[in-house]
Amino acid sequence: MSRVYNFSAGPAVLPEEVLREAADEMMDYKGSGMSVMEMSHRSKTYDTIIKEAEADLRELMDIPDNYKVLFLQGGASQQFAMIPMNLMKNKKAAYIVTGQWAKKAYKEAQIYGEAVAAASSEDKTFSYIPDCSDLDIPEDADYVYICENNTIYGTKFHKLPNTKGHTLVADVSSCFLSEPVDVKKYGVIYGGVQKNIGPAGVVIVIIREDLITEDVLPNTPTMLKYKTHADADSLYNTPPAYGIYICGKVFKWLKKQGGLSAIKTRNEEKAKILYDFLDESKLFKGTVVKEDRSLMNVPFVTGNEELDAKFVAEAKAAGFENLKGHRSVGGMRASIYNAMPKEGVEKLVAFMREFEKKNQ
């Protein structure tokens, strides 16, 4: 069975090198006589795996010493509650609503305090990022929240909002490790790993230490306190051990590629191939304003639902998987994460050209 080009938004394509290595170690990890899947998370061998993963991530992102790295469960969606539970001291926060996930986080925060929508792009189906240079942020807001890359709508904050001194919290699930970031600009930067880093089941939270306190909202469960996990080095309970092991391999793969600056250059090259074609095509068109386009998720349409469906079906038959757009927006979407080879994008564009010729 040859491998397909997998354009899924997540769980998504992983580097083949990583998958092969994991396959080689499946039955016997480094002479331990067992798989990492079977290993005690309290063992010396596993302790090395998780510590190395953290060290490599710190190196890749240049994470300052006063930030903790937590390997947690519950996906990004559980963070929608954990963030207000742990950070809403004044019971107030500002949310910038730029897509479905930011909207879900905003609604969840309303359970715990006053969540204010400081800006939104819902008026144009989230096809742009609002101007965030001079937002009306309440003085006593505990934090400002963004979803930095919008998987469904294909938009990206290329410039962080002016938070006017308030802590910035960012969900980076779908742009995690796709480019260099200045961690110091964030109080919390977090993401589910199943798009760019590993298998589903792990969420990584990078959080400034002063935000980790016992002073959380009343009735916050032990497992939903950042302090619980920070104090136990992500081993308070059994972590998603195998998922973290794969993430660790992806971190090593990224370092081998030359780190985040090199991967950003490659991501820009790949995205340019697809966007350039969409900009000149008579049949297909992108749905996002140019200056806010994501390098990771590229939504596009023909303007005809039947033709969209035909394209998705024919693309699948030709070995291009998971190009159907999210059910909430329809059309198509190509997710071109770090592990998608340039050749995959080139072949997709060649296929789109042919389809256009036949269906004009």
Side-chain angles (χ1 to χ4, degrees), residues 184-217:
K184 296 187 294 296
K185 290 182 173 170
Y186 305 82
V188 181
I189 183 169
Y190 79 90
V193 304
Q194 71 278 7
K195 298 170 185 295
N196 230 357
I197 303 174
V202 185
V203 59
I204 296 173
V205 176
I206 300 159
I207 177 170
R208 212 173 57 228
E209 284 176 352
D210 61 285
L211 298 171
I212 305 170
T213 65
E214 283 288 8
D215 176 24
V216 297
L217 295 188

Side-chain angles (χ1 to χ4, degrees), residues 58-78:
R58 282 185 175 277
E59 186 184 327
L60 277 167
M61 292 179 73
D62 195 16
I63 299 173
D65 291 344
N66 63 325
Y67 282 74
K68 286 273 192 203
V69 173
L70 308 176
F71 294 99
L72 306 178
Q73 297 174 78
S77 296
Q78 185 152 292

